[in-house]
Amino acid sequence: MRVLILGGSGFLGSELVRQAVAAGHLTAATYATKPGHTREVGWYALDLRDPGRIDAVMAEVGPDLVVNASSGGADWAVTAEGPVRLAMASAKYGSRLVHVSSDAVFSGARVHYDESCLPDPITPYGAAKAAAETGVLLVHPQAVVARTSLIIGRGQSLHERAVHDLAAGTRDGVLFTDDIRCPVHVADLAAALLELASHDISGIHHLAGADALSRHELGVLIARRDGLDPSRLPTGLRADSTLRGALDVRLDSRATQRRLRTPLRGACQFITAKV
């Protein structure tokens, strides 16, 4: 199978590349600033704001599967409009599409969210992700939209690096005790995305970990795993900060999990397992 991974040099994208290559797939990947290091992969510079370039890459690669793991932050042209352009190209070339979305599409007002819940974003980033979901499924109804949460693993995630910096006193800031998510291991997430792509299903699916933890609780687990002093991690309330966003968003992934062989482990399990 020919696989094209958008954002292949990113944290999630690089794991998708690794697993796709290990599975024997002919793999290509895109990057925004610099390519990854996997030699078995064909690397393509790609700006999702450029429909002509999207078409050119799709035409050259001819992928059976496209996985969009790219990240454009709150940039509307990249995060909202870019995936729709990609979905149009995927439909044109007959490619299976898996688009990675986020729990940021929810406000946290109801705390627990399954796949039937409608987006109600409260940040520009969340609004862009929600718009992308709608647009992708409109132009490519056979696509999969996979919402996920805080991605952890191998000590390389932003949260893990922040924990180390905070414990060392080389970074200002706090870990919020009221900001709750369902962290997922990057290897579990990548495997689940590729497995979803192999099923004859479409629409929205949730891929988050089994445990709901605050940023601080997660930081404590990481600190203990890595031999750091958890008492050195400063705490605070997101509700008292100027940082916009939902407080408590818990993706319910049970319906999707029943379809998958890949276990979506909770952070209490995968951090303790040191993988």
Side-chain angles (χ1 to χ4, degrees):
M1 182 167 65
R2 292 177 179 268
V3 178
L4 174 63
I5 297 168
L6 276 77
S9 58
F11 182 50
L12 172 58
S14 62
E15 179 62 21
L16 283 163
V17 165
R18 187 190 70 80
Q19 291 193 23
V21 170
H25 299 310
L26 186 60
T27 305
T30 74
Y31 62 93
T33 54
K34 61 180 180 179
H37 303 292
T38 306
R39 294 181 178 179
E40 300 93 334
V41 171
W43 291 97
Y44 296 83
L46 180 64
D47 186 337
L48 281 175
R49 295 169 295 187
D50 184 348
R53 179 60 179 162
I54 293 172
D55 192 83
V57 171
M58 290 289 293
E60 183 170 342
V61 175
D64 303 297
L65 168 65
V66 177
V67 183
N68 182 19
S70 63
S71 176
D75 187 324
W76 189 267
V78 176
T79 302
E81 298 172 0
V84 180
R85 298 186 188 99
L86 178 66
M88 293 174 67
S90 297
K92 173 183 175 180
Y93 287 97
S95 303
R96 178 91 163 121
L97 173 63
V98 176
H99 171 71
V100 181
S101 190
S102 166
D103 57 14
V105 301
F106 296 121
S107 69
R110 61 178 296 161
V111 178
H112 298 276
Y113 294 89
D114 64 19
E115 289 88 344
S116 68
C117 295
L118 296 177
D120 60 340
I122 57 175
T123 64
Y125 172 69
K129 295 297 282 188
E133 291 185 359
T134 300
V136 164
L137 292 176
L138 180 65
V139 302
H140 195 338
Q142 291 74 41
V144 168
V145 170
R147 295 180 182 135
T148 192
S149 190
L150 196 61
I151 307 174
I152 305 296
R154 304 200 309 269
Q156 299 172 14
S157 68
L158 293 175
H159 192 80
E160 288 165 288
R161 294 202 298 268
V163 168
H164 278 251
D165 292 343
L166 288 168
T170 59
R171 174 184 179 138
D172 294 329
V174 299
L175 294 179
F176 297 127
T177 57
D178 60 345
D179 185 335
I180 299 172
R181 299 293 187 271
C182 295
V184 63
H185 195 282
V186 66
D188 295 350
L189 177 57
L193 289 167
L194 293 172
E195 187 180 348
L196 272 180
S198 71
H199 294 325
D200 185 21
I201 57 176
S202 59
I204 294 172
H205 299 272
H206 286 182
L207 298 175
D211 300 329
L213 298 171
S214 72
R215 301 266 181 167
H216 180 256
E217 289 171 328
L218 179 60
V220 168
L221 289 176
I222 293 168
R224 289 174 176 165
R225 179 196 68 185
D226 296 345
L228 307 175
D229 182 359
S231 68
R232 293 186 59 84
L233 299 176
T235 63
L237 293 174
R238 184 168 184 164
D240 293 338
S241 76
T242 58
L243 187 63
R244 296 179 62 190
L247 294 180
D248 194 342
V249 176
R250 310 183 191 198
L251 291 186
D252 183 346
S253 303
R254 289 176 294 178
T256 300
Q257 178 67 93
R258 286 192 288 269
R259 294 175 174 267
L260 300 176
R261 297 185 307 274
T262 302
L264 297 169
R265 297 170 294 167
C268 293
Q269 179 184 359
F270 67 69
I271 290 179
T272 302
K274 297 184 179 181
V275 296

